[in-house]
Amino acid sequence: MVIKKSEQIVTARGLVKKFGDFTAVKGIDFTVAGGECFGLLGPNGAGKSSVVRMIHGFSPVTGGSLAVFGKDISAGSREIKARIGVVPQDDNLDPELTVWQNLVVYAGYFRMQKDRAESRAEEILAFMDLSEKSGHVVEHLSGGQKRRLTIGRALINQPDLLILDEPTTGLDPHARRIVWQRLRRLKEAGTTMILTTHYLEEASQLCDRLLVLHRGSILEEGAPAELVHRHVGSHALELGLDPGQMGMLAEGLERLIKSRQLLGDEMVLFTDQGRDLAAKISARADEMDIAISRQMLRQSNLEDVFLKLTGETLTGDHEEEPGGDR
Amino acid sequence: MPKTKELIREIFTRPDLSWPLIWRVFYRNLLVFKKTWVANIMFNFVEPLLYLWAIGLGLGAYVASIGGLTYIDFLAPALIGSSAMFSTAYEMTYGSFTRMTYQKTFHGMVSTPVSMDDVVMGEIIYGTFKGVLYGMVFLIVVALFGVVKSPWALLIPFPLALMVMIISILSLIWTSIAPNYDSFGYFFTLIITPMFLFSGVFFPVESLPAGAAFLPWLTPLYHAVEIIRPLTLGLVDRSAVTHLVWLAVFVLLTVRIPLVMVKKRLVQ
């Protein structure tokens, strides 16, 4: 099936998910269009996984409506599932079977014919750079290889929608980069993707559009660069100083400062004129004899956006939601 | 309790089954089984063999006859049933629990067109297959001991399949509420082992005290043994039909329950 760019793949209206008394998703609206990589970003417990589990028909919808490929997900989920590929948060490969058997057995669940399944398996192994491992038992693969196989397995039915729930959590930086390269190639080939992550770099590298979720609600929506520009500007200036002296130091420089945030014992100033602000701050500090123990100018990023929006970091060491990651 | 009510209501709904996909689930389990069957079959097969030696030949030497049978003729056919029961019960507790929780195999399957009902039905069929296979291997052993006296023995797979299907169902019900591996100890101590000891495998159930004589009648193993023994020895009569009907009715009445309960546990 060919998906047109304009076609709506997923449409959620007032989507609610409850687990007993706990509301994990609090009535959210969003759409995912054909060919886009749509990111769900948020700390653990934000409701990302709950949303994707509803989309692939695993978890029943508590309230609101959710249509996938234009059909209500609660109705014919077999037909919908036949067109989706799912990469779960935890690997659920068959550890006793070989790499090859994992792919071919999984193809069987889509009722694929044997020769078709085998030619797909070959293509996938080549694409995921696992051809040499074909006969190896999955138990003996590295974490990165297992992840690649899990992603490859999700491609067996040539899905119109690929759902990736934290695809690189727990991988080392090298393995993560390899996964990103593959996902980027899939994206270039026009695969529609929904990705949940709490890695900002992952979101900015891969996603065309992001939904920032926090405690089951949408905080923001937009392209990564746009969100950065809108909320924090191009640069962040980190200053180690007594916060009480900040007011004095910044006096008259307000027009340069887009936003400010206290983080531990450091002040972070967000700005579109980084160098200018840094120079002025240094000069004033000398003038007024204010001690700055550390000063660093860097490019601002999504982490800053998240910090500003929630006052929390994405790794969520500030507060844990009841029920953990849902 | 609203939860129990909901459970009962769901048991009377139609399951979402697709037989071609159920066979794929079964095939997956079979493929994994093929990797380990040598180690596996020994484990399940040595134990009844030891019973046959120790009790059948050892203790049996002191038993003149039971209902006109030598003790080994009485015991050996029954052990076909009990060894099948044990292999199914192990697979559908420890094995299914591993697939359901640690390996998340069920989760992987239901991300495809396979439904949770297909997965659990595939498990039941796999548990049934394994029990029948082990029972038949033990039938060969029993034949080597010279106990098989009739071609009727070739029909043993039918009562055996119904009995181990019930064991699959009961085991999966327990597995669906098991918090951890340790809880399976209770299942074996409270259900499987008493069934092994008091279902007419080692002695005729008529020896039980009058107040307890009805208990074996409630167990699937008793009914299976009452069919398998005459089939092995060529002493079949009409009572076999009653036992067969009991087993079939039990399957029909309970098969929906584990489907509902496993789904309840996993899908939230």
Side-chain angles (χ1 to χ4, degrees), chain A residues 17 19 56 58-60 78 81-82 84 86 90-98 101 105-106 108-113 137 153 326, chain B residues 16-18 20-21 24-25 27-28 31-32 35-36 102-116 118 266-268:
Chain A
K17 180 69 205 179
F19 298 100
H56 68 80
F58 180 77
S59 184
R78 271 190 212 267
K81 287 196 295 178
I84 297 181
V86 179
D90 314 301
D91 285 324
N92 54 25
L93 299 163
D94 287 321
E96 300 99 334
L97 300 182
T98 64
Q101 285 172 326
V105 165
Y106 208 73
Y109 303 147
F110 291 93
R111 302 181 71 169
M112 285 166 70
Q113 296 301 319
V137 172
R153 193 184 64 168
R326 268 174 153 155
Chain B
D16 178 15
L17 296 174
S18 156
L21 293 178
R24 297 294 191 161
V25 173
Y27 173 73
R28 178 263 165 211
L31 206 59
V32 174
K35 304 232 157 189
T36 55
Y102 294 97
Q103 293 187 352
K104 293 190 183 273
T105 312
F106 291 10
H107 295 78
M109 288 173 175
V110 300
S111 303
T112 71
V114 176
S115 72
M116 195 60 91
D118 298 338
L266 294 183
V267 176
Q268 286 180 336

Side-chain angles (χ1 to χ4, degrees), chain A residues 99-147:
Chain A
V99 169
W100 177 260
Q101 285 172 326
N102 261 276
L103 292 174
V104 174
V105 165
Y106 208 73
Y109 303 147
F110 291 93
R111 302 181 71 169
M112 285 166 70
Q113 296 301 319
K114 194 165 175 265
D115 48 344
R116 172 97 188 91
E118 289 181 347
S119 68
R120 267 310 277 162
E122 260 169 49
E123 285 166 30
I124 285 165
L125 289 181
F127 177 66
M128 284 295 167
D129 199 14
L130 287 167
S131 298
E132 281 172 27
K133 298 283 172 190
S134 176
H136 289 229
V137 172
V138 163
E139 242 164 352
H140 304 135
L141 298 183
S142 72
Q145 288 165 342
K146 281 185 193 162
R147 251 323 56 191

Side-chain angles (χ1 to χ4, degrees), chain B:
Chain B
M1 290 203 291
K3 276 197 173 163
T4 321
K5 257 190 188 164
E6 203 189 313
L7 196 73
I8 291 167
R9 193 183 56 75
E10 275 181 46
I11 285 168
F12 290 101
T13 60
R14 212 186 150 80
D16 178 15
L17 296 174
S18 156
W19 285 97
L21 293 178
I22 292 168
W23 289 111
R24 297 294 191 161
V25 173
F26 170 74
Y27 173 73
R28 178 263 165 211
N29 287 341
L30 193 65
L31 206 59
V32 174
F33 171 68
K34 278 206 234 153
K35 304 232 157 189
T36 55
W37 71 274
V38 178
N40 233 303
I41 225 156
M42 288 301 282
F43 172 68
N44 281 271
F45 153 87
V46 169
E47 202 172 286
L49 194 63
L50 293 176
Y51 275 106
L52 198 59
W53 252 313
I55 298 176
L57 297 175
L59 182 66
Y62 297 91
V63 180
S65 79
I66 292 186
L69 303 174
T70 64
Y71 192 60
I72 190 120
D73 282 356
F74 180 84
L75 176 68
L79 287 176
I80 297 171
S82 65
S83 71
M85 171 183 80
F86 273 104
S87 72
T88 299
Y90 280 121
E91 186 59 49
M92 295 290 103
T93 50
Y94 294 97
S96 296
F97 188 74
T98 305
R99 290 188 283 278
M100 183 187 301
T101 57
Y102 294 97
Q103 293 187 352
K104 293 190 183 273
T105 312
F106 291 10
H107 295 78
M109 288 173 175
V110 300
S111 303
T112 71
V114 176
S115 72
M116 195 60 91
D117 289 341
D118 298 338
V119 172
V120 181
M121 191 54 97
E123 287 281 314
I124 291 173
I125 291 171
Y126 174 59
T128 305
F129 161 81
K130 212 172 162 184
V132 171
L133 178 72
Y134 283 55
M136 294 322 281
V137 170
F138 203 71
L139 173 66
I140 295 169
V141 176
V142 170
L144 294 177
F145 275 77
V147 174
V148 179
K149 299 184 165 78
S150 155
W152 282 103
L154 293 172
L155 295 180
I156 288 174
F158 297 100
L160 202 57
L162 287 173
M163 186 269 289
V164 290
M165 190 174 261
I166 294 171
I167 300 298
S168 293
I169 292 167
L170 298 177
S171 305
L172 282 170
I173 290 172
W174 189 285
T175 303
S176 74
I177 52 170
N180 50 43
Y181 286 107
D182 296 330
S183 63
F184 295 123
Y186 290 99
F187 181 66
F188 281 90
T189 309
L190 296 176
I191 294 173
I192 298 296
T193 304
M195 203 144 52
F196 179 46
L197 294 174
F198 298 104
S199 295
V201 173
F202 295 102
F203 58 88
V205 296
E206 290 77 26
S207 318
L208 288 169
F214 71 99
L215 287 172
W217 193 86
L218 298 176
T219 70
L221 183 60
Y222 165 73
H223 295 281
V225 165
E226 289 303 305
I227 308 169
I228 294 170
R229 189 178 284 132
L231 285 176
T232 314
L233 304 174
L235 304 167
V236 194
D237 62 26
R238 273 197 195 159
S239 70
V241 177
T242 321
H243 294 299
L244 212 55
V245 168
W246 189 98
L247 293 170
V249 168
F250 198 107
V251 167
L252 290 174
L253 289 181
T254 54
V255 69
R256 184 77 177 99
I257 301 171
L259 273 61
V260 171
M261 290 185 71
V262 171
K263 198 188 216 166
K264 269 235 141 14
R265 177 186 183 130
L266 294 183
V267 176
Q268 286 180 336

